[in-house]
Amino acid sequence: MRAMQHSPDLDPSLPATMPIAGHIDPVPVPRPGLVDGVTPREDGRVDLIGLTKKQIAAVFEAAGLDAKAAKLRAKQVFHWLYHRGVTDFEAMTDIAKTMRPWLAERFFIGRPEIVEAQVSTDGTRKWLLRTADGHDFEMVFIPDADRGTLCVSSQVGCTLNCRFCHTGTMRLVRNLTPGEIVGQVMLARDALGEWPKANENRIGTMAGLDFDDEDEDATSDYTADGRLLTNIVMMGMGEPLYNFDNVRDALKLVMDGDGLALSKRRITLSTSGIVPLMARAGEEIGVNLAVSLHAVTKDVRDEIVPINRKYGIEELLQACADYPGSSNARRITFEYVMLKDKNDSDADARELVRLIKQYKLPAKVNLIPFNPWEGAAYECSTPERIRRFSSIVFEAGISAPVRTPRGRDIDAACGQLKTSAEKKSRAELDRLAEEKMAALD
Ligand code: SAH
Ligand code: SF4
């Protein structure tokens, strides 16, 4: 008897749930066994967000369900998670009441933590988010008359060092996981109140709005259903092709017809030009491609997009010409940041046209006014210069809209996703640039 009283988990005077120091779990719960590619949280529970239907079935099986039950439950749970957006197992009404606590003890439905949410006077919203291990990254939602675009991050920081980009002044902290990437889309759906209610597959609030265009896709019922979040661009922090597997897995979840069901035609992946991975992106992900070209001569592109020293303009444009699925209906977007006296001359505009024609690219050009940040070595081109550049490209038959900066009052505009980057001196910036450049060789 005495020995029993020394053993805290057997002491009848202690409440069963009292936290006890040490390794003893007051309510021992058999945890799911290990499944390939799935890492449990610190509390032993497995976060289901970011897992495919198959992986969910595998973790259910590892937790003790037989294969058939695991598959059925995975299908139900997947629907609740990604189609209905529930964050509590208790809400899963077609799952037996007794099974819900069993799930809650072993599994978890996560979202990135919101550190700060801001709304701009123009309706743009920005969220500062935090991973479970304490790294900050950002996500931006940009509403327009005919669409709402979520700008999603793929990495915390970036290994590359485009000289006009603030993220380039950060080191790469780590890749975001599929759960953290798809979690951004889910969080935006939460914030915009866009999950279907019970017995409702479509939201009718804005029905009648014509969400354009060439994007109509027979496999998706997502287009004209009145949601605000209609498009996704992988244009937040990081180089998505350097986090290839996680970005691919996350976007597959975003496109899954049983879940979020966003059409691949409404998703755009932006790359600085990681040539060897571009064909794979087309084959394995199949979304629209945007390429951060930004310059048309070797000298200038070597300077402002240093990955150009590894994969030059010709190679890059050839990879664009070979990109699976590109066509006149699905053109490649070339992003071109307007930097005063650097890349904005008439000759640059003509060379851009010549290159696009030489490679017979179905292309459009997005002209982005440079968003300055403290310590940047560049200035934005004048509005007249941008207009002139745009008209030269346009007159050659290539669409070249100027992207209006959005959310400037909350620092939400392109290349401004910087909250977690501390200020660095010029010398520090130069040192970091050299270091990143050396890593390219
Ligand atoms: N790493 C990817 C995607 C993220 S950046 C890429 O480089 O494509 C999204 C776009 O914003 C890119 O075209 C990038 O070059 C551009 N950008 C970055 N900083 C900018 C700034 N300060 N002003 C304007 N555009 C910027
Ligand atoms: Fe990285 Fe893109 Fe910024 Fe270049 S522009 S540093 S690739 S995030």
Side-chain angles (χ1 to χ4, degrees):
M1 268 322 273
R2 286 211 68 79
M4 263 182 80
Q5 275 168 13
H6 286 288
S7 169
D9 54 340
L10 293 177
D11 187 338
S13 67
L14 290 173
T17 53
M18 181 175 161
I20 294 159
H23 299 297
I24 303 156
D25 194 336
V27 188
V29 170
R31 299 298 186 188
L34 288 184
V35 168
D36 243 9
V38 179
T39 317
R41 296 159 22 111
E42 261 177 22
D43 67 2
R45 290 189 290 172
V46 168
D47 188 349
L48 295 179
I49 297 300
L51 304 191
T52 60
K53 226 174 287 161
K54 266 198 174 146
Q55 285 174 312
I56 296 177
V59 292
F60 284 180
E61 215 182 318
L65 295 187
D66 69 56
K68 205 167 149 221
K71 200 169 164 200
L72 172 72
R73 296 297 175 211
K75 193 166 183 268
Q76 290 172 306
V77 168
F78 187 92
H79 183 84
W80 284 110
L81 297 179
Y82 293 109
H83 184 77
R84 300 289 285 274
V86 308
T87 49
D88 184 355
F89 292 102
E90 274 309 315
M92 300 184 179
T93 47
D94 59 356
I95 289 179
K97 263 206 167 89
T98 48
M99 186 163 192
R100 295 179 216 158
W102 182 90
L103 287 167
E105 277 164 3
R106 291 158 182 81
F107 303 101
F108 184 78
I109 306 168
R111 294 284 193 269
E113 178 194 342
I114 300 177
V115 181
E116 201 184 343
Q118 286 174 281
V119 184
S120 157
T121 47
D122 70 10
T124 301
R125 294 167 176 232
K126 182 176 85 166
W127 290 267
L128 175 63
L129 306 176
R130 187 164 292 163
T131 63
D133 57 344
H135 302 302
D136 292 353
F137 61 104
E138 295 188 341
M139 156 178 111
V140 176
F141 177 71
I142 307 153
D144 275 304
D146 64 344
R147 66 181 62 199
T149 306
L150 188 70
C151 180
V152 170
S153 291
S154 56
Q155 298 181 311
V156 181
C158 188
T159 52
L160 300 180
N161 180 233
C162 304
R163 299 308 292 268
F164 52 84
C165 171
H166 199 275
T167 307
T169 68
M170 298 169 65
R171 283 171 210 284
L172 175 71
V173 177
R174 73 164 170 79
N175 284 333
L176 292 174
T177 63
E180 288 160 348
I181 297 169
V182 74
Q184 294 172 62
V185 182
M186 306 190 70
L187 206 61
R189 276 274 187 94
D190 294 347
L192 297 167
E194 296 200 311
W195 296 108
K197 314 253 175 335
N199 305 321
E200 179 190 61
N201 282 320
R202 287 165 165 263
I203 295 178
T205 47
M206 284 175 70
L209 249 195
D210 185 12
F211 284 103
D212 78 353
D213 70 316
E214 64 202 45
D215 293 357
E216 224 49 63
D217 181 343
T219 63
S220 168
D221 66 352
Y222 202 92
T223 47
D225 64 1
R227 285 193 178 98
L228 293 173
L229 197 175
T230 61
N231 290 56
I232 290 178
V233 291
M234 296 301 302
M235 291 188 189
M237 283 182 173
E239 168 48 58
L241 294 189
Y242 276 152
N243 184 16
F244 190 93
D245 291 0
N246 291 354
V247 167
R248 177 200 53 208
D249 295 352
L251 290 181
K252 288 225 156 124
L253 287 170
V254 172
M255 293 186 278
D256 192 307
D258 296 334
L260 290 156
L262 205 78
S263 159
K264 65 180 181 180
R265 293 169 196 282
R266 291 185 170 273
I267 303 175
T268 301
L269 183 149
S270 174
T271 179
S272 56
I274 313 303
V275 168
L277 292 169
M278 285 166 60
R280 259 187 83 196
E283 281 150 18
E284 294 179 34
I285 312 175
V287 296
N288 301 321
L289 184 69
V291 171
S292 294
L293 189 61
H294 302 316
V296 289
T297 61
K298 176 168 166 48
D299 280 359
V300 178
R301 197 163 191 267
D302 276 357
E303 175 190 324
I304 66 178
V305 187
I307 190 74
N308 194 65
R309 298 168 193 208
K310 198 162 185 181
Y311 310 116
I313 294 176
E314 285 76 23
E315 252 181 287
L316 174 58
L317 295 180
Q318 189 54 51
C320 290
D322 298 339
Y323 186 71
S326 71
S327 66
N328 270 326
R330 284 189 79 193
R331 288 170 294 169
I332 291 173
T333 304
F334 288 105
E335 294 159 283
Y336 201 97
V337 62
M338 298 303 296
L339 304 174
K340 189 175 184 183
D341 298 331
K342 182 51 70 183
N343 64 356
D344 63 351
S345 69
D346 287 3
D348 288 318
R350 287 196 205 96
E351 178 61 5
L352 178 59
V353 169
R354 193 192 67 75
L355 285 169
I356 289 174
K357 296 208 160 164
Q358 183 191 335
Y359 286 86
K360 300 191 176 62
L361 296 167
K364 50 188 169 186
V365 175
N366 247 344
L367 299 176
I368 318 173
F370 170 61
N371 280 307
W373 40 273
E374 215 182 300
Y378 306 102
E379 277 177 65
C380 185
S381 311
T382 62
E384 300 76 56
R385 187 90 295 275
I386 299 177
R387 263 198 300 277
R388 170 92 183 124
F389 194 101
S390 169
S391 65
I392 293 175
V393 180
F394 183 75
E395 275 156 28
I398 300 161
S399 143
V402 181
R403 203 196 280 171
T404 330
R406 299 289 303 270
R408 276 204 165 166
D409 54 332
I410 55 167
D411 274 355
C414 241
Q416 297 288 307
L417 305 186
K418 63 180 184 186
T419 316
S420 49
E422 79 273 22
K423 282 202 184 105
K424 294 190 176 76
S425 70
R426 184 75 259 153
E428 281 172 306
L429 288 174
D430 289 344
R431 216 172 25 247
L432 184 77
E434 257 173 51
E435 218 177 273
K436 287 190 173 189
M437 220 85 90
L440 280 183
D441 299 333

